[in-house]
Amino acid sequence: MKIKPSTKEIYTDTGKFIKRLHCPIHVKWKAMKKNGNESRICFECNKTIHDTAKLNDTDIVKLIKKDPQACLRVKLNQDNVKIVH
Amino acid sequence: MLIKRLLEIFGTNAQSKTKRGEIICKECNFIYANTFDECPDCKYMKILTDRSFDELSENLRVIRTIRGARAIKAAKEMGLKLIELRAEVSDQFKVKYKKKKDKLTGKIITIGDYRADHHDSWRYKTVVDWTSRNPSKFFSPFAAYIVPKDLKSGERVLINDVITNHVSGSWNQGDVYRLSKSEATWNGRGFVIDVGSYAIGDIIG
């Protein structure tokens, strides 16, 4: 996965656009309710936020295709993320 | 006819660059570094002539920023309400990059991640080796927010080009990002920037 920090847009490694990450609520990951190892639930909107650290591009594309409004969490330091400008 | 065509192609181009490789804008004669895609002076003048001042984004009113003495002077002449601030350069920010040219397609790509720098010299030629730029360096120290006259104290807004310097996030490869876009609250005298609204590092959305 690739991410443009300036726009918060994420792409597959081949450059296909996946989603622009935006949350108007600004709830911190640590403040969310644990939901297994790879997701958490936001107490403000009750949506499930998927941690992308262990997901590959195919998993993420599949997830967004199924639910375009699905929320994701991306950390710049995670191993499967490359930063592009 | 041929001479006229050649003048069109080479004549204008010859006039548009200085000896140091800087570009001279054909519209306003402003001289700017060749790292800009377009004349920065004209870019901010266009913001003034663009009439969509009531733009909303994510249900927030968008506050426009203008940079450069020319745009600020023009905005004052137009009677716009401005909050003028000095654009300071801060050495705390750095964003690294490398430019490589694809030997097969001729396309130049910019990478910002050491992990994306594969040993692929058979395909890519380094054009600019790893270096960093300071995102707080702008073409002019003069900058201003255009404040809508009906903005009420306490109203939350979206600023697409923040003038003051705030750290947006840092990365374990040494990059320190500057907050360029942010939500803010108008307190009647200025904008209180909500750094957390667009800070990066742990991005959710």
Side-chain angles (χ1 to χ4, degrees), chain A residues 21-65:
Chain A
L21 304 180
H22 173 71
C23 173
I25 305 170
H26 315 307
V27 176
K28 300 283 178 207
W29 177 255
K30 280 180 186 171
M32 294 178 190
K33 191 180 157 194
K34 283 187 180 176
N35 183 37
N37 288 332
E38 282 152 31
S39 67
R40 292 198 178 190
I41 294 169
C42 174
F43 60 84
E44 287 282 350
C45 67
N46 273 329
K47 281 177 80 170
T48 302
I49 289 80
H50 303 270
D51 190 354
T52 58
K54 286 177 185 164
L55 300 178
N56 59 34
D57 283 0
T58 316
D59 297 332
I60 300 168
V61 170
K62 218 182 270 180
L63 203 125
I64 296 299
K65 206 171 178 181

Side-chain angles (χ1 to χ4, degrees), chain B residues 42-85:
Chain B
C42 287
K43 179 183 157 188
Y44 292 102
M45 285 301 286
K46 276 177 204 156
I47 289 177
L48 293 176
T49 51
D50 177 0
R51 292 182 186 276
S52 56
F53 276 102
D54 295 325
E55 188 189 347
L56 280 175
S57 177
E58 290 140 22
N59 290 322
L60 297 175
R61 204 144 29 153
V62 176
I63 299 300
R64 286 162 186 273
T65 302
I66 49 172
R67 293 180 185 272
R70 187 173 152 228
I72 291 174
K73 186 175 174 236
K76 283 178 182 170
E77 283 168 6
M78 288 167 73
L80 298 174
K81 184 178 174 182
L82 302 178
I83 295 286
E84 286 184 69
L85 295 167

Side-chain angles (χ1 to χ4, degrees), chain B residues 126-171:
Chain B
T126 300
V127 180
V128 179
D129 207 354
W130 285 109
T131 186
S132 60
R133 64 178 179 86
N134 184 337
S136 69
K137 277 187 184 165
F138 289 92
F139 80 102
S140 168
F142 305 109
Y145 295 122
I146 300 173
V147 184
K149 286 183 176 159
D150 60 342
L151 197 63
K152 290 188 176 64
S153 186
E155 184 174 335
R156 203 162 170 82
V157 295
L158 181 70
I159 299 175
N160 273 331
D161 180 6
V162 177
I163 299 170
T164 45
N165 287 326
H166 308 271
V167 173
S168 166
S170 57
W171 185 27

Side-chain angles (χ1 to χ4, degrees), chain A residues 20 72-74 77 81 83, chain B residues 58 113 115 171 202-203 205:
Chain A
R20 187 173 80 88
L72 306 174
R73 178 219 194 190
V74 180
N77 295 336
V81 164
I83 291 181
Chain B
E58 290 140 22
D113 192 326
R115 293 169 297 180
W171 185 27
D202 197 1
I203 306 170

Side-chain angles (χ1 to χ4, degrees), chain A residues 3 5 8 19-23 26-27 29 32 70-79 81-83 85, chain B residues 58 95-97 112-113 115-116 118 170-172 177 181 183 196-205:
Chain A
I3 187 161
K8 298 183 182 177
K19 183 181 171 52
R20 187 173 80 88
L21 304 180
H22 173 71
C23 173
H26 315 307
V27 176
W29 177 255
M32 294 178 190
C71 285
L72 306 174
R73 178 219 194 190
V74 180
K75 278 184 82 175
L76 294 186
N77 295 336
Q78 68 191 47
D79 290 340
V81 164
K82 291 185 183 77
I83 291 181
H85 296 301
Chain B
E58 290 140 22
V95 177
K96 69 176 185 315
Y97 67 95
D113 192 326
R115 293 169 297 180
H118 307 296
S170 57
W171 185 27
N172 62 9
Y177 296 100
K181 179 177 179 176
E183 288 183 13
S197 63
Y198 274 81
I200 55 173
D202 197 1
I203 306 170
I204 290 170

